Amino acid sequence: MVSLVIDRRFRGPPNSGNGGYVCGCLARHVAGDAEVTLRAPPPLERPLDVLTASDGAIELRENGKLLATASATRIDVRDIPGVSCEAAEEAVARTPYDEQTHDLPGCFVCGPARGHGDGLRIFAGPLQAGAVPDKPVVFAASWIPHGSLSGEDGYIAPEFVWAALDCPTGYCSVGARHLGLKGNETALLGRMAARINRRPRPGDRCVVTAWPTGREGRKLFAESALLSSEQEVLAMARTTWLLVDRQVQLGATT
């Protein structure tokens, strides 16, 4: 049996793991593209069991309680918009949240309260209106991965690539006025599928871009991509977010 312990550094809400990071940890046990469904908030700093179910799916459990499942899939995100590092840096200046207005300022990926070298500090903001003609809303952020994120092979570990692809899809989904969102809703990641073509190295200039693709009631759908400074698609993802009560987001209730 494999055990997973989520360090407090990798939190999203105050007492549970960042969704993209947890998905990436489970995806390590799946060959190729993977899809992960989060069933309950994965707690921090407690041993969690990683098991293989009878149908071949990977399960994350604590004392028998199912927290997440992962399985092989095939993902092909099309029409990925090219965004330059300069345009992404300009978008960051338009990010809708700061340390006072962010719902989860301590989030490992997008929390403005996290320092350099501690959090990823990916602060996605909207591109200028009309920058991508066929997509009414596109968010982007510049990202230079820190050395502490590298794996044994010298490249950024896969779970951090998943993490980088996560939060920008939440930003753009809640920011999708054309889908009836006001921008002040609270949401949690429910499902994520991703493909990694090539992992960057620490210090590489990268761009994360994300755009909403639809809505069904409480479910918000979005896609994202990680680009190199030369516009190479390093990784791509498809996410489902769930609109939830603020107390659910904080983990006070389930």
Side-chain angles (χ1 to χ4, degrees):
M1 181 185 300
V2 178
S3 181
L4 170 66
V5 177
I6 303 170
D7 189 271
R8 183 164 295 277
R9 178 189 177 192
F10 306 128
R11 66 190 180 275
N15 297 305
S16 59
N18 168 266
Y21 170 80
V22 174
C23 288
C25 288
L26 275 192
R28 275 183 169 269
H29 301 275
V30 178
D33 303 356
E35 181 177 81
V36 183
T37 301
L38 299 170
R39 308 284 185 179
L44 304 174
E45 299 183 332
R46 301 209 296 260
L48 309 175
D49 298 325
V50 180
L51 308 168
T52 302
S54 58
D55 62 358
I58 303 300
E59 297 181 342
L60 183 67
R61 291 181 177 268
E62 183 186 33
N63 298 324
K65 179 182 179 180
L66 183 63
L67 303 176
T69 58
S71 58
T73 191
R74 179 69 177 174
I75 176 174
D76 186 14
V77 175
R78 300 185 179 184
D79 301 321
I80 295 174
V83 179
S84 68
C85 292
E86 293 72 22
E89 289 168 0
E90 292 175 2
V92 169
R94 294 187 290 272
T95 189
Y97 309 110
D98 58 25
E99 194 165 341
Q100 285 69 47
T101 60
H102 198 293
D103 283 338
L104 302 171
C107 175
F108 171 63
V109 176
C110 65
R114 304 296 292 268
H116 290 280
D118 176 30
L120 300 191
R121 295 180 60 83
I122 296 177
F123 307 134
L127 296 179
Q128 293 284 8
V132 183
D134 60 336
K135 290 179 170 57
V137 176
V138 177
F139 274 51
S142 53
W143 181 44
I144 300 178
H146 190 265
S148 65
L149 307 175
S150 64
E152 294 181 358
D153 59 1
Y155 292 87
I156 298 304
E159 56 267 33
F160 301 124
V161 175
W162 278 70
L165 292 166
D166 165 23
C167 291
T169 62
Y171 273 46
C172 74
S173 293
V174 174
R177 302 297 194 274
H178 67 292
L179 297 179
L181 281 301
K182 298 178 181 178
N184 60 354
E185 292 85 356
T186 52
L188 285 175
L189 182 68
R191 179 172 293 156
M192 183 174 185
R195 171 194 294 177
I196 298 177
N197 296 326
R198 182 174 69 83
R199 290 177 286 133
R201 289 183 179 273
D204 286 352
R205 294 184 72 195
C206 299
V207 169
V208 185
T209 183
W211 55 97
T213 58
R215 176 184 182 182
E216 292 180 4
R218 292 176 53 237
K219 294 182 179 180
L220 308 178
F221 306 104
E223 295 174 337
S224 61
L226 178 65
L227 310 176
S228 72
S229 58
E230 290 78 30
Q231 307 292 294
E232 176 190 356
V233 178
L234 302 177
M236 61 187 71
R238 182 174 294 123
T239 62
T240 302
W241 287 75
L242 302 175
L243 294 174
V244 297
D245 181 81
R246 171 65 171 159
Q247 293 306 308
V248 173
Q249 185 189 52
L250 291 174
T253 59
T254 57

